[in-house]
Amino acid sequence: MNSMYVQGNSFLHQLDPRTKILFVFSIILFVFLFYDPMFQFLVTVSLLPIVFLSGLTTPYLKTVKFMFLLVFLIITVHGLYNPMGDVTKVTWQLTENLSFKHDALIYGAVMSFRILSIGTATLLFVMSTHPSDLANALVKWKVPHAVAFMILSTFQLIPIIGREAKVIMEAQQARCLDVKANMIQRVKHLIPLFAPLFITSFMRVHQMSQVLECRGFSSTGPKTSLREMTIGFRDYAFLTAIALFALAAITLRAVVGGTLLPITDFVLMSALIGIWIVCSIYFFDFLWKSVRKKVV
Amino acid sequence: MSAFLRVENLTHIYPGKIKALESINLEIGEGEVVAVLGRNGSGKTTLVKHFNGLLKPTKGNVWIGDMNAKKHSVAKLSAKVGYVFQNSNHQTFLPSVEQELRYGCENIGLDEETIQERVERVTELFQLEDILETNPFDLNSTQRKEVGMASILAIEPKVIVLDEPTTGQDHAGSERIKEVITMLKEQGHIVILVTHDMQLVGELDCRVVVISNGKKLADGAAREVFKDKAMLKEASLEPPQVMTLAEQLTSFGVNDHVLTVEEMIKEYKRVKKLDINKQLQTS
Amino acid sequence: MKNKLSTLVVAMIPAGIALNWVANSIVEMLKLPLFLNNIGNVLNAIVLGPWWGVATAVLTNLVIGLTTRWTIIPFALVGAVVALLGYWFFKKGFFKSIPKVIAAGAITGVIASALGSAVAVYVFGGFAGAGVDILTAGLVAMGNSIAVSNLIANFPGTFLDKILTFWVVFSILRIFPVRFLPNAKKIQEGLGMNKGKKKDDKAA
Ligand SMILES: Nc1ncnc2c1ncn2[C@@H]1O[C@H](COP(=O)(O)OP(=O)(O)O)[C@@H](O)[C@H]1O
Ligand SMILES: [Mg+2]
């Protein structure tokens, strides 16, 4: 299974997938309501206790890595070079003609924390939801059964076809296909590698479509499922909390506007340096690990 | 001269610290047929994948002639060591059998004349004359497997590795594979056979290497190796049924040196004759 | 017949998604600077129909988004457009010879590249959460605007990628065993293959 689902029994794991989907959407709503790095930051940070309480800390830290590269580039490059807003308002003069501009930094910081908070919420959802529960949830939402089925069987198919690809690569190399030949040759080698993969996949598809036919997949009428879910007290409590937050956020937006507090240089510098620090921790961790690999 | 294929102190550890092979030593000379036996997951495939470089040793060395397998690409080694995969669907992609047979030869850059010569040879060997123009996917699985094997043999590798060649084959297919192996042996090729088909091993009357948990447990003539019951038990192997039968019948004067059905029949006739002679004498 | 097609579609779309996914490992082994992660979209668009190609594209990005990097989800738009273009070019007879296929792939490459940059700029401020972002950043530092930098950084890769995606699908469909294709006649017509001769085609 390729899914990032982490088994567990936490509060989050027990919620109905639909509740969690609503949760992800409400986070997206929050971070787009305001244009205020402080607020985006708070949303991101407030998600962290949920990560911890759901027992997802280690896998979470592993997977947010790539988001930090993205966020690092966004805040640094935009802060330095984005010509938006008032370019004379400088937050941090580095050299004579290199400086972090105030307005551009706001944009960079808002973008960064938006990405981090949406990313965190999505990860929470994915890591705590079994793919077949997701498929069932979609069916309950009147997403056609076929679509839910397709998503589910994709999860099953990817590792199978992945293994098949590996065997095909070995089998063709055993017929003297040279993976180290020149570029043009290697491009030509795409055909002997992809063709058997396509063909064996088609064979599998034919079998599967026959199996589906035999099991009455295309029959009409209600479908039933092995894994049953119900929305319980937990879900209602959680949904109520989300709704209250959303209500408060929308009211705030209507009354105060997109920016809640004046954005000081200090806030922006903290965001920038903070992201740099986290990135360098990841970077040094990566360095340390590769050095150790070389040594051992 | 030392043996053509040499395995020296080979250890293989997969990612995840799975030790699949441990300190294997093996020498295989020209014209030898070697059956590699062992239960599922014992490390047979891991061992033979080192011969054409699909896997590289974690420790130790594998020599193919004077080539160290560590230092050459799979494509290069495959000209010397042909590896026939279990499922030929994984290599078949060209729209005719003939093109399939040519593919490997074209990859090693042979000239047209040599390619045609070799294609003709394997065509004859597997009796593929009538299906040269057919799309391989219109053939049945036995035929397709033969085409896969033929496409490897057309490269004329010195060593031929067969990973479970008779699995899923019908009787005629198995017989043909047996014939081909015997013929390759006569031509001086090395044939390495990974299999669970004990009857085939018995009939080939070949050398046997037993692997269990990544270690070599036994190495010798099938006839001798199959007598070591304690070792076979450790490797969860059963000797050919006819051998067990012969052993059960030793009290009737049957010699337990029997490996094949044919030998058993001969042995039975011999014992029967003795019996009749004895009866004649007593009466 | 209708039902038959629908179970085929239901089975074929996951296969298309899996092919998109697995393409990565083949390209990696050959050390080619490509992705080919639209290959299943184009295949399904041609074999099943344009909207099934789009469905394959959207579900692919959804699945990858939900399992490895969610930042890929907005780029479903690009995959969907590539699927539609693949079908359109197939319909218009561009899959009848290699030069035409390459031309179709090139045009698709340009469109996909522009669209990809637009998505990256609009959604992620010019980055996409991929290695090529470093190049984009370098180009910005050299004084280019963010949109232009992203376009320059991504164009060569995307352009080549779409050409080869089309070429691979074309080459494979030409040598594909007829019995596995659901609407073989129509597809062979689109590939400009001789209808009279059934068995031996002169491909490859
Ligand atoms: N790619 C791999 N990664 C990790 N472990 C593997 C891999 N291939 C095989 N193994 C493990 O190595 C051992 C030997 O496998 P294999 O050589 O395939 O056995 P056999 O061919 O005798 O059935 C098994 O325990 C198997 O699980
Ligand atoms: Mg094996």
Side-chain angles (χ1 to χ4, degrees):
Chain A
M1 191 56 111
N2 258 305
S3 137
M4 292 201 304
Y5 175 67
V6 179
Q7 223 160 16
N9 214 357
S10 70
F11 178 77
L12 198 66
H13 281 86
Q14 289 173 17
L15 286 178
D16 188 284
R18 286 167 288 173
T19 310
K20 287 185 269 191
I21 291 176
L22 284 176
F23 163 68
V24 174
F25 280 125
S26 60
I27 295 292
I28 295 174
L29 172 77
F30 288 167
V31 293
F32 275 98
L33 268 181
F34 299 96
Y35 190 76
D36 182 338
M38 281 284 271
F39 178 79
Q40 324 277 8
F41 175 72
L42 280 179
V43 172
T44 311
V45 169
S46 66
L47 292 174
L48 295 181
I50 308 184
V51 174
F52 179 73
L53 290 175
S54 312
L56 299 170
T57 316
T58 320
Y60 171 78
L61 287 178
K62 256 190 205 156
T63 35
V64 289
K65 235 187 295 190
F66 92 94
M67 276 201 287
F68 266 97
L69 173 69
L70 183 60
V71 159
F72 168 81
L73 285 172
I74 287 177
I75 195 166
T76 312
V77 173
H78 280 273
L80 287 173
Y81 299 107
N82 194 331
M84 70 190 292
D86 181 2
V87 283
T88 54
K89 254 167 81 184
V90 169
T91 298
W92 184 13
Q93 191 80 39
L94 286 175
T95 64
E96 204 180 321
N97 40 19
L98 205 58
S99 58
F100 284 100
K101 270 73 116 196
H102 183 84
D103 287 354
L105 264 185
I106 295 181
Y107 172 80
V110 168
M111 269 306 221
S112 299
F113 289 120
R114 260 184 202 162
I115 288 173
L116 283 177
S117 44
I118 296 175
T120 305
T122 321
L123 280 178
L124 277 174
F125 167 70
V126 174
M127 290 178 165
S128 68
T129 310
H130 193 278
S132 34
D133 287 341
L134 170 63
N136 283 344
L138 292 177
V139 172
K140 289 246 164 106
W141 253 342
K142 301 281 182 269
V143 171
H145 187 247
V147 174
F149 178 84
M150 284 192 281
I151 293 183
L152 195 55
S153 52
T154 302
F155 279 106
Q156 291 163 348
L157 210 55
I158 285 174
I160 295 175
I161 293 195
R163 270 196 297 276
E164 209 126 76
K166 200 165 162 273
V167 179
I168 288 167
M169 293 190 253
E170 293 186 345
Q172 298 300 36
Q173 285 186 77
R175 295 208 296 171
C176 302
L177 175 148
D178 187 1
V179 294
K180 294 196 178 81
N182 64 43
M183 183 80 105
I184 302 214
Q185 282 298 323
R186 279 181 289 148
V187 168
K188 284 189 182 156
H189 289 343
L190 286 171
I191 305 302
L193 296 178
F194 270 106
L197 194 63
F198 275 39
I199 296 170
T200 48
S201 303
F202 263 81
M203 291 165 94
R204 196 178 298 283
V205 162
H206 271 261
Q207 270 170 13
M208 180 137 142
S209 103
Q210 266 156 24
V211 168
L212 290 177
E213 204 59 44
C214 294
R215 295 193 186 160
F217 188 83
S218 37
S219 75
T220 47
K223 303 280 199 289
T224 53
S225 159
L226 212 56
R227 290 174 78 110
E228 279 303 334
M229 309 169 299
T230 44
I231 290 207
F233 170 71
R234 252 188 231 98
D235 295 283
Y236 288 119
F238 196 73
L239 285 171
T240 316
I242 293 175
L244 286 178
F245 269 114
L247 204 66
I250 291 168
T251 321
L252 209 57
R253 167 74 219 233
V255 177
V256 189
T259 315
L260 295 176
L261 292 169
I263 302 161
T264 61
D265 281 348
F266 174 75
V267 169
L268 291 174
M269 287 298 287
S270 318
L272 180 67
I273 306 287
I275 287 175
W276 282 5
I277 291 177
V278 176
C279 270
S280 46
I281 292 176
Y282 271 122
F283 182 68
F284 282 116
D285 180 61
F286 170 77
L287 267 190
W288 166 241
K289 274 185 186 140
S290 18
V291 166
R292 216 178 37 179
K293 218 184 216 167
K294 280 257 165 65
V295 172
V296 174
Chain B
M1 208 191 100
S2 58
F4 185 76
L5 194 159
R6 298 189 307 287
V7 178
E8 297 169 354
N9 225 356
L10 172 64
T11 297
H12 190 89
I13 301 171
Y14 280 110
K17 300 211 170 96
I18 303 162
K19 195 179 252 182
L21 289 178
E22 198 176 344
S23 308
I24 303 274
N25 283 292
L26 197 60
E27 292 204 352
I28 302 176
E30 290 182 24
E32 268 196 284
V33 175
V34 179
V36 180
L37 307 177
R39 75 170 83 87
N40 278 338
S42 58
K44 307 181 293 295
T45 301
T46 307
L47 173 65
V48 294
K49 275 188 178 171
H50 280 86
F51 298 165
N52 70 342
L54 284 173
L55 291 174
K56 301 290 178 196
T58 311
K59 269 191 224 135
N61 285 299
V62 173
W63 293 89
I64 308 299
D66 52 7
M67 289 163 87
N68 186 335
K70 237 184 218 170
K71 302 204 168 104
H72 292 88
S73 68
V74 182
K76 196 97 168 268
L77 289 162
S78 292
K80 294 249 157 56
V81 182
Y83 192 117
V84 180
F85 274 75
Q86 216 178 67
N87 185 345
S88 59
N89 291 350
H90 288 134
Q91 60 174 54
T92 310
F93 73 104
L94 287 163
S96 80
V97 168
E98 187 175 3
Q99 285 173 339
E100 274 297 317
L101 297 180
R102 295 171 57 97
Y103 180 73
C105 297
E106 283 169 359
N107 272 339
I108 51 175
L110 296 176
D111 58 81
E112 183 58 29
E113 202 179 325
T114 320
I115 295 180
Q116 290 212 339
E117 200 179 292
R118 292 186 176 190
V119 168
E120 256 166 51
R121 223 176 38 78
V122 293
T123 303
E124 198 177 328
L125 182 61
F126 287 94
Q127 295 160 22
L128 303 172
E129 292 86 354
D130 298 337
I131 54 171
L132 276 181
E133 295 299 315
T134 314
N135 187 317
F137 283 96
D138 291 333
L139 302 173
N140 66 35
S141 66
T142 298
Q143 284 174 313
R144 212 179 309 151
K145 187 150 187 166
E146 282 177 7
V147 171
M149 198 164 156
S151 83
I152 298 286
L153 292 186
I155 303 170
E156 300 202 344
K158 182 89 190 162
V159 183
I160 290 124
V161 178
L162 304 167
D163 198 346
E164 315 212 358
T166 50
T167 310
Q169 289 297 88
D170 58 16
H171 180 69
S174 297
E175 284 296 306
R176 177 121 68 221
I177 287 169
K178 201 176 79 193
E179 278 165 30
V180 170
I181 292 173
T182 314
M183 192 213 68
L184 289 169
K185 175 189 163 84
E186 279 162 12
Q187 293 177 350
H189 288 277
I190 294 173
V191 181
I192 294 159
L193 178 70
V194 174
T195 189
H196 292 287
D197 186 343
M198 291 310 225
Q199 193 185 334
L200 176 71
V201 175
E203 283 169 11
L204 286 170
D205 192 7
C206 59
R207 177 174 161 194
V208 162
V209 170
V210 179
I211 307 275
S212 175
N213 291 325
K215 296 201 188 77
K216 191 169 94 172
L217 275 196
D219 183 355
R223 233 173 261 281
E224 303 305 326
V225 170
F226 287 157
K227 278 190 187 143
D228 187 345
K229 294 293 171 262
M231 184 277 297
L232 288 183
K233 191 156 184 229
E234 192 184 337
S236 331
L237 292 176
E238 288 279 338
Q241 283 182 343
V242 56
M243 193 168 175
T244 314
L245 179 67
E247 277 158 8
Q248 300 286 315
L249 297 176
T250 41
S251 55
F252 295 91
V254 170
N255 189 335
D256 69 354
H257 222 61
V258 160
L259 202 54
T260 65
V261 174
E262 235 163 75
E263 286 175 6
M264 185 66 207
I265 293 168
K266 230 187 252 167
E267 192 61 19
Y268 176 78
K269 283 183 179 155
R270 187 182 65 83
V271 170
K272 188 86 182 176
K273 215 176 196 173
L274 279 182
D275 215 30
I276 292 170
N277 285 345
K278 221 186 266 166
Q279 276 177 14
L280 285 177
Q281 274 168 16
T282 45
S283 63
Chain C
M1 200 58 214
K2 195 119 197 280
N3 275 347
K4 177 81 187 154
L5 187 70
S6 73
T7 56
L8 190 75
V9 166
V10 165
M12 190 80 193
I13 286 181
I17 302 172
L19 286 175
N20 285 338
W21 178 295
V22 170
N24 187 42
S25 64
I26 291 184
V27 168
E28 220 165 65
M29 190 194 70
L30 289 175
K31 300 214 167 54
L32 290 171
L34 302 170
F35 321 105
L36 300 187
N37 55 358
N38 291 145
I39 214 159
N41 306 350
V42 177
L43 180 77
N44 278 357
I46 290 175
V47 173
L48 301 176
W51 299 108
W52 297 122
V54 170
T56 311
V58 171
L59 286 174
T60 298
N61 287 41
L62 218 57
V63 166
I64 297 181
L66 287 181
T67 49
T68 39
R69 24 187 82 184
W70 67 275
T71 48
I72 204 171
I73 294 176
F75 292 94
L77 185 63
V78 182
V81 168
V82 171
L84 287 176
L85 285 171
Y87 176 77
W88 190 79
F89 280 121
F90 178 78
K91 261 273 170 249
K92 291 286 162 201
F94 275 79
F95 276 67
K96 287 191 172 156
S97 71
I98 289 186
K100 279 186 186 167
V101 165
I102 290 178
I107 297 169
T108 307
V110 172
I111 296 172
S113 187
L115 206 58
S117 290
V119 172
V121 169
Y122 191 74
V123 185
F124 298 119
F127 299 96
V132 73
D133 283 354
I134 311 268
L135 186 56
T136 310
L139 285 164
V140 175
M142 280 162 57
N144 301 292
S145 80
I146 287 177
V148 169
S149 301
N150 180 286
L151 195 62
I152 297 177
N154 285 288
F155 180 79
T158 309
F159 182 71
L160 259 180
D161 188 68
K162 301 314 165 216
I163 292 179
L164 287 172
T165 300
F166 276 29
W167 174 71
V168 168
V169 172
F170 163 79
S171 309
I172 293 179
L173 281 179
R174 286 198 64 131
I175 56 177
F176 215 80
V178 178
R179 49 154 41 184
F180 295 132
L181 287 177
N183 36 3
K185 262 230 169 84
K186 235 167 72 191
I187 288 171
Q188 288 195 319
E189 236 167 83
L191 293 169
M193 286 164 72
N194 213 337
K195 277 176 290 167
K197 287 192 289 173
K198 237 175 77 192
K199 253 198 272 168
D200 56 352
D201 46 60
K202 45 196 186 322

